[in-house]
Short mmCIF file of all heavy atoms in Angstrom, two decimals:
data_model
loop_
_atom_site.label_atom_id
_atom_site.label_comp_id
_atom_site.label_asym_id
_atom_site.label_seq_id
_atom_site.Cartn_x
_atom_site.Cartn_y
_atom_site.Cartn_z
N ARG Z 391 4.91 -13.76 14.62
CA ARG Z 391 3.82 -14.63 15.06
C ARG Z 391 4.38 -15.87 15.74
O ARG Z 391 3.68 -16.61 16.38
CB ARG Z 391 2.94 -15.01 13.89
CG ARG Z 391 2.24 -13.79 13.33
CD ARG Z 391 1.21 -14.18 12.31
NE ARG Z 391 0.21 -15.03 12.91
CZ ARG Z 391 -0.60 -15.78 12.19
NH1 ARG Z 391 -0.50 -15.80 10.88
NH2 ARG Z 391 -1.50 -16.53 12.78
N LEU Z 392 5.66 -16.11 15.56
CA LEU Z 392 6.33 -17.17 16.29
C LEU Z 392 7.82 -16.89 16.19
O LEU Z 392 8.35 -16.76 15.10
CB LEU Z 392 6.03 -18.55 15.68
CG LEU Z 392 6.85 -19.70 16.27
CD1 LEU Z 392 6.46 -19.95 17.72
CD2 LEU Z 392 6.64 -20.97 15.47
N THR Z 393 8.44 -16.73 17.32
CA THR Z 393 9.89 -16.60 17.33
C THR Z 393 10.42 -17.82 18.06
O THR Z 393 9.93 -18.15 19.15
CB THR Z 393 10.33 -15.33 18.06
OG1 THR Z 393 9.60 -14.23 17.52
CG2 THR Z 393 11.81 -15.07 17.86
N LEU Z 394 11.37 -18.49 17.45
CA LEU Z 394 11.92 -19.69 18.06
C LEU Z 394 13.43 -19.56 18.02
O LEU Z 394 14.00 -19.26 16.98
CB LEU Z 394 11.47 -20.91 17.25
CG LEU Z 394 11.96 -22.24 17.80
CD1 LEU Z 394 11.07 -22.72 18.92
CD2 LEU Z 394 11.99 -23.28 16.70
N VAL Z 395 14.04 -19.71 19.17
CA VAL Z 395 15.50 -19.62 19.24
C VAL Z 395 16.04 -20.91 19.86
O VAL Z 395 15.56 -21.34 20.91
CB VAL Z 395 15.95 -18.41 20.08
CG1 VAL Z 395 17.45 -18.21 19.95
CG2 VAL Z 395 15.21 -17.16 19.65
N CYS Z 396 16.98 -21.52 19.18
CA CYS Z 396 17.53 -22.78 19.66
C CYS Z 396 19.04 -22.67 19.80
O CYS Z 396 19.69 -21.98 18.99
CB CYS Z 396 17.25 -23.91 18.67
SG CYS Z 396 15.53 -24.08 18.20
N ALA Z 397 19.58 -23.32 20.80
CA ALA Z 397 21.03 -23.42 20.94
C ALA Z 397 21.35 -24.80 21.50
O ALA Z 397 20.62 -25.32 22.35
CB ALA Z 397 21.55 -22.33 21.87
N ALA Z 398 22.42 -25.37 21.02
CA ALA Z 398 22.86 -26.67 21.52
C ALA Z 398 24.24 -26.96 20.96
O ALA Z 398 24.71 -26.26 20.05
CB ALA Z 398 21.89 -27.77 21.10
N ARG Z 399 24.91 -27.95 21.53
CA ARG Z 399 26.20 -28.37 20.97
C ARG Z 399 26.28 -29.88 21.08
O ARG Z 399 25.44 -30.53 21.74
CB ARG Z 399 27.35 -27.70 21.72
CG ARG Z 399 27.44 -28.10 23.18
CD ARG Z 399 28.58 -27.41 23.89
NE ARG Z 399 28.76 -27.96 25.23
CZ ARG Z 399 28.04 -27.57 26.29
NH1 ARG Z 399 27.11 -26.63 26.16
NH2 ARG Z 399 28.25 -28.13 27.47
N LEU Z 400 27.27 -30.43 20.43
CA LEU Z 400 27.45 -31.87 20.46
C LEU Z 400 28.72 -32.18 21.26
O LEU Z 400 29.77 -31.59 21.01
CB LEU Z 400 27.60 -32.39 19.02
CG LEU Z 400 27.10 -33.80 18.75
CD1 LEU Z 400 25.62 -33.93 19.10
CD2 LEU Z 400 27.34 -34.16 17.29
N GLU Z 401 28.60 -33.04 22.25
CA GLU Z 401 29.76 -33.47 23.01
C GLU Z 401 29.78 -34.98 23.05
O GLU Z 401 28.83 -35.61 23.53
CB GLU Z 401 29.68 -32.93 24.45
CG GLU Z 401 30.54 -31.67 24.67
CD GLU Z 401 30.40 -31.18 26.11
OE1 GLU Z 401 30.31 -32.01 27.03
OE2 GLU Z 401 30.34 -29.96 26.27
N GLU Z 402 30.85 -35.53 22.57
CA GLU Z 402 30.99 -36.99 22.52
C GLU Z 402 29.74 -37.64 21.94
O GLU Z 402 29.17 -38.58 22.50
CB GLU Z 402 31.28 -37.54 23.93
CG GLU Z 402 32.66 -37.09 24.42
CD GLU Z 402 32.83 -37.30 25.91
OE1 GLU Z 402 31.84 -37.69 26.57
OE2 GLU Z 402 33.93 -37.05 26.40
#
Side-chain angles (χ1 to χ4, degrees):
Chain Z
R391 295 188 60 198
L392 172 67
T393 309
L394 181 82
V395 189
C396 308
R399 64 181 188 277
L400 210 59
E401 260 180 37
E402 293 165 354

